Amino acid sequence: MNNLKKEIPIFFSADDNYIPCLAVAIQSLKDNASQDNNYKLIILNSGMTDEGKQKIKKFETENIKIDFADISKATSKMSKELELRCRDYYSETIYYRMFIPSQFPEYDKAIYLDSDIIIQEDIANFFNIDLGDNLLGVIMDQVVANDKSFRTYAKVALGLDSYEKYFNSGVLLMNLKEMRKSRIEDKFIYLLLKYNLDTIAPDQDYLNILCKDRVVYLPETWDKMPDFGKRYPAEELHLIHYNMFRKPWHYADVPYSDIFWKYAKETEYFDELQNELKSYSDESKKIDAAGGVNLVKYSDTIMTQTVKFVDIISETDDINSVTKFINETLKS
């Protein structure tokens, strides 16, 4: 009977340093999973240690299996380009979700989740949302909606009709079949290798411009950012995303942090995360605050640049030229 259950593929990106937070996210998924489904968790990484993998494998159950996929082979020829625009807390792993369609052809549909999340219900409910022939199921990014400069950036740099169309890439329902058919990955690689434009959010800007008008917008409660947007009763939230600089393991006053600690307490990392909270320095908090201010300034600077995403996206319509350019560039 077990083989008749629906398999739900769920991707995370992580390295050894992020194992405690990933563990808490998986614990919340595990606690709310249904016995009616099989859950396949795939951790995208670039050299996670065997010790780190074993720590995460401990979360396996009869219907929750965990695998690890080293994506560095797929990105090795463009690693310099991927690293160029990374800043703050970003690393090359932020781009790994872009390679899911080609690296996992066995799946037509999947979920991608950042590791700084808590799931409050069966994640199968998210997976079962009908996307039709759209590329993604997404949630509007409340960080962008909350700032005038970011709102302008969404229109001027990316050419979106409204900032309300700009979505967060930390919680995605992915129509992998349609993404392969639309050659989203090739178009991304083309733009990366040829232009590698400045961005406010590395992978997120690419997805917003490449998937424009082919996304299903889902309620904010599927990607609730504690410091931004509407304040909901905790029980109404499907998924909480502790994004940006203020993490509950660094700041005691983050909204909905009690929910994070509830799940953290079920893991072996509770004390470690508590110690990190207590030891997070005032200097680190100043750096975080400056990071937010600088990001706003950065978006203003990008809008003054001669070439922006909105100016070059039409080049990706000629897929033959896109393919030719990629092949020639990666050969050299």
Side-chain angles (χ1 to χ4, degrees):
M1 292 295 290
N2 191 52
N3 292 332
L4 298 178
K5 293 181 180 181
K6 178 189 289 187
E7 181 178 78
I8 300 174
I10 304 151
F11 291 87
F12 292 90
S13 293
D15 56 26
D16 282 81
N17 295 324
Y18 227 72
I19 283 173
C21 307
L22 175 60
V24 178
I26 294 175
Q27 183 67 51
S28 71
L29 184 152
K30 179 179 171 182
D31 284 359
N32 293 290
S34 168
Q35 289 299 317
D36 294 334
N37 303 303
N38 286 325
Y39 303 83
K40 183 66 169 291
L41 277 56
I42 302 168
I43 315 303
L44 307 176
N45 68 94
S46 56
M48 184 180 285
T49 63
D50 289 340
E51 181 184 1
K53 292 176 182 178
Q54 287 306 312
K55 289 177 179 178
I56 297 302
K57 288 285 278 186
K58 290 179 182 178
F59 289 90
E60 286 191 327
T61 65
E62 184 181 348
N63 69 325
I64 298 176
K65 302 303 177 187
I66 302 175
D67 282 344
F68 299 85
D70 189 337
I71 301 297
S72 60
K73 293 176 183 176
T75 63
S76 60
K77 291 185 177 181
M78 61 193 84
S79 58
K80 289 182 179 179
E81 288 81 2
L82 293 173
E83 291 171 3
L84 181 63
R85 300 302 177 190
C86 292
R87 62 181 188 281
D88 300 326
Y89 51 82
Y90 295 131
S91 70
E92 185 183 317
T93 59
I94 198 168
Y95 290 107
Y96 286 175
R97 71 203 77 185
M98 304 295 297
F99 299 91
I100 294 173
S102 68
Q103 295 301 302
F104 300 90
E106 66 269 33
Y107 296 124
D108 287 341
K109 188 179 184 184
I111 294 169
Y112 175 86
L113 300 174
D114 279 350
S115 298
D116 52 355
I117 59 99
I118 289 294
I119 301 160
Q120 290 212 109
E121 66 175 76
D122 185 5
I123 196 63
N125 296 335
F126 186 61
F127 183 81
N128 290 333
I129 293 171
D130 184 14
L131 295 179
D133 63 355
N134 288 289
L135 301 171
L136 298 170
V138 299
I139 299 88
M140 183 177 78
D141 193 303
Q142 292 295 332
V143 176
V144 169
N146 192 62
D147 184 89
K148 183 179 179 180
S149 289
F150 290 156
R151 293 196 297 267
T152 305
Y153 173 90
K155 296 182 192 178
V156 173
L158 301 181
L160 301 181
D161 297 335
S162 163
Y163 68 86
E164 294 180 340
K165 296 286 184 71
Y166 186 89
F167 57 83
N168 177 257
S169 64
V171 178
L172 297 171
L173 182 58
M174 307 178 76
N175 187 340
L176 302 181
K177 183 177 181 180
E178 285 297 323
M179 291 182 80
R180 285 189 286 267
K181 192 183 297 184
S182 298
R183 306 283 290 276
I184 297 300
E185 182 180 319
D186 286 343
K187 293 175 181 180
F188 159 67
I189 294 172
Y190 172 84
L191 294 176
L192 177 79
L193 295 178
K194 188 170 182 179
Y195 294 101
N196 209 343
L197 297 181
D198 288 322
T199 64
I200 61 168
D203 70 294
Q204 192 163 278
D205 285 1
Y206 281 100
L207 283 170
N208 269 275
I209 193 71
L210 290 169
C211 301
K212 180 184 175 184
D213 298 329
R214 291 194 63 190
V215 299
V216 175
Y217 291 93
L218 304 173
E220 183 185 353
T221 48
W222 274 113
D223 187 3
K224 178 58 196 159
M225 302 173 180
D227 286 325
F228 304 93
K230 181 180 175 181
R231 188 70 185 269
Y232 296 85
E235 61 272 15
E236 293 182 15
L237 302 179
H238 308 301
L239 188 150
I240 304 168
H241 185 187
Y242 303 97
N243 66 323
M244 297 296 286
F245 298 94
R246 282 172 31 90
K247 310 297 187 185
W249 56 93
H250 288 161
Y251 294 83
D253 62 341
V254 176
Y256 311 113
S257 60
D258 57 319
I259 301 172
F260 173 84
W261 291 112
K262 179 184 79 170
Y263 290 106
K265 202 165 188 178
E266 295 182 51
T267 74
E268 63 184 280
Y269 301 101
F270 179 77
D271 290 340
E272 179 181 338
L273 289 164
Q274 279 281 301
N275 288 334
E276 192 168 341
L277 173 64
K278 293 170 185 174
S279 63
Y280 202 65
S281 68
D282 289 340
E283 184 60 32
S284 294
K285 291 178 181 179
K286 285 181 182 178
I287 294 171
D288 288 345
V293 172
N294 290 337
L295 191 57
V296 173
K297 292 179 180 177
Y298 199 47
S299 70
D300 291 335
T301 300
I302 293 171
M303 284 186 283
T304 67
Q305 294 177 350
T306 305
V307 179
K308 297 178 281 294
F309 276 108
V310 66
D311 303 313
I312 59 173
I313 187 60
S314 61
E315 293 182 21
T316 62
D317 293 340
D318 185 349
I319 198 63
N320 290 328
S321 294
V322 166
T323 304
K324 181 181 178 183
F325 176 83
I326 292 172
N327 291 338
E328 290 177 350
T329 304
L330 293 181
K331 275 182 183 178
S332 59

